[in-house]
Amino acid sequence: MARSLYVCYFGVREPLVRTQVIPYLRELTKDGHELTLLTFEPDGFDGDENVKREQEEIKRELDGQGIEWHWLRYHKRLSAIATAYDIFRGAAFVRRMTAKRRFDILHGRVHVPTLMAAIARKFSRHKPKLLFDIRGFFPEEYTDAGVWPADGLLYRSAKRVERWLFKEADGF
């Protein structure tokens, strides 16, 4: 039975996670995979009693489907700096979990989560396989949407990271 950590840079309540990620993971558990899901949750997700009840309900629901769930806070302000901070925290969490659980596979859904997993693997004694679940070319998507200037520093840096991830990944 393979042990996998699936890293997703979206919150567990996001429609994409509900309609794609969780059903995908649920199907993998049917094949005997042991799965852990890491999501990044927005501000307010660790607040009042209603939110805590919702977290417990989500945890019970996922546990019932054979999916162990953990989450870290998603930071939004100062976008590039916040993402870099989340990458650092995510990589540290993945490294700790990998040392503890000895995952066979680190599965990153797109670039940022795969970067977290790749960094964690670099600094781990245990070297699980790295699966880069690429859904599109995010640097091009950001320039096409006008978020980043074409050939700007962020675009060039993201392309450099993307090339490194292609080299590091054991599968796509």
Side-chain angles (χ1 to χ4, degrees):
M1 165 174 25
R3 275 189 298 257
S4 301
L5 173 62
Y6 188 99
V7 185
C8 181
Y9 198 49
F10 298 110
V12 74
R13 298 176 295 181
E14 294 284 328
L16 179 133
V17 174
R18 289 299 195 180
T19 62
Q20 293 181 25
V21 172
I22 293 172
Y24 169 71
L25 297 178
R26 187 174 45 235
E27 288 301 311
L28 289 174
T29 63
K30 290 178 184 177
D31 289 336
H33 291 272
E34 187 179 311
L35 288 159
T36 302
L37 170 63
L38 172 62
T39 61
F40 283 75
E41 303 298 333
D43 280 339
F45 194 69
D46 59 353
D48 63 24
E49 288 303 313
N50 290 332
V51 173
K52 288 180 183 175
R53 277 193 294 279
E54 181 184 7
Q55 289 171 346
E56 290 169 8
E57 185 179 311
I58 291 167
K59 186 160 182 48
R60 273 193 307 276
E61 172 194 338
L62 292 173
D63 281 346
Q65 298 176 46
I67 303 165
E68 179 185 341
W69 174 55
H70 298 273
W71 65 275
L72 295 173
R73 166 131 359 269
Y74 169 79
H75 296 88
K76 189 173 185 172
R77 281 193 201 187
L78 302 172
S79 180
I81 295 168
T83 301
Y85 179 71
D86 286 347
I87 289 167
F88 173 77
R89 288 198 58 234
F93 181 88
V94 170
R95 186 189 170 285
R96 281 191 311 275
M97 286 295 292
T98 298
K100 181 178 175 183
R101 300 289 305 282
R102 299 192 56 82
F103 293 112
D104 301 304
I105 301 167
L106 299 177
H107 184 153
R109 182 182 171 88
V110 301
H111 292 67
V112 170
T114 304
L115 179 57
M116 293 173 194
I119 292 168
R121 184 171 79 162
K122 277 284 185 205
F123 292 100
S124 297
R125 287 185 178 163
H126 178 64
K127 305 290 185 192
K129 300 284 186 188
L130 178 64
L131 179 59
F132 185 4
D133 191 345
I134 186 168
R135 302 297 175 120
F137 295 98
F138 129 84
E140 283 80 5
E141 291 169 355
Y142 270 51
T143 57
D144 290 348
V147 177
W148 291 347
D151 235 17
L153 177 63
L154 289 175
Y155 173 82
R156 290 191 324 270
S157 299
K159 288 305 284 182
R160 190 172 306 119
V161 167
E162 184 180 74
R163 283 190 299 274
W164 182 70
L165 291 175
F166 280 133
K167 189 179 111 215
E168 290 295 310
D170 295 294
F172 304 95

